[in-house]
Amino acid sequence: MAEPPTIRRARDSDIDACADILNHWIDSRDWMPRIHTVQEVREFYRDFVYTTRDLYVAGDPPLGFMALDRDDAYVTALYVAEPGRGLGKRFLDFAKTGRNVLRLWTFQANTAAQAFYRREGFKEERRTDGDNEEGLPDILLRWEAA
């Protein structure tokens, strides 16, 4: 049995792979609008996410990634290429380390993610009617250390 991939800081060479995991996720959900081209997502990850967030990947090439806000306890992105293999949990456990609070947003339509986050101890803090770029209703979830 292969060892699980190590979570590590993203390198410049990982950015397109991270963006491609997100692009695939967007295109595989019928409820998720594509508001930016594949290339625009890549550029956003290279020019903004990589430079302003703490970006972590697992695997080489990346099998998943997580972005953490540097100034607050927010997971701003968590995507894996193949859900259901424990990588998302490993990313969250990594993010929880040394923190008392962690928050993240998920779309109300993303019921699988909601179930996952609830299993990981997150509780609903509030909902919106779509006050985001996609115009989709979403939920702010919060985890607190015991």
Side-chain angles (χ1 to χ4, degrees):
M1 184 172 179
E3 288 290 317
T6 302
I7 295 175
R8 61 174 173 81
R9 283 268 193 180
R11 298 182 293 257
D12 186 65
S13 59
D14 297 319
I15 305 310
D16 284 349
C18 293
D20 289 346
I21 290 169
L22 174 56
N23 278 315
H24 175 75
W25 182 88
I26 291 168
D27 291 339
S28 64
R29 270 116 190 115
D30 59 0
W31 52 265
M32 184 68 183
R34 172 154 297 279
I35 56 176
H36 298 287
T37 66
V38 167
Q39 189 57 37
E40 288 170 339
V41 172
R42 283 180 168 183
E43 290 168 5
F44 178 74
Y45 266 74
R46 180 163 307 285
D47 298 340
F48 181 77
V49 176
Y50 184 61
T51 61
T52 65
R53 305 277 193 251
D54 289 333
L55 186 61
Y56 298 93
V57 299
D60 193 8
L63 302 171
F65 71 94
M66 173 180 65
L68 295 169
D69 189 301
R70 290 182 180 156
D71 299 325
D72 210 347
Y74 274 90
V75 174
T76 60
L78 174 56
Y79 296 93
V80 297
E82 296 181 28
R85 298 181 179 231
L87 194 52
K89 178 178 176 26
R90 289 187 57 231
F91 275 121
L92 282 182
D93 289 346
F94 181 88
K96 289 175 181 177
T97 302
R99 290 186 171 84
N100 292 320
V101 175
L102 198 59
R103 288 184 173 96
L104 56 82
W105 288 94
T106 188
F107 294 110
Q108 289 184 33
N110 196 353
T111 55
Q114 290 171 54
F116 165 68
Y117 292 130
R118 286 192 173 99
R119 280 193 310 270
E120 295 306 311
F122 285 79
K123 296 186 178 3
E124 185 173 322
E125 192 168 302
R126 71 181 173 102
R127 290 178 178 240
T128 78
D129 291 329
D131 185 23
N132 53 52
E133 187 176 37
E134 295 83 1
L136 296 175
D138 55 5
I139 305 169
L140 177 62
L141 299 173
R142 176 187 176 107
W143 168 85
E144 291 186 35

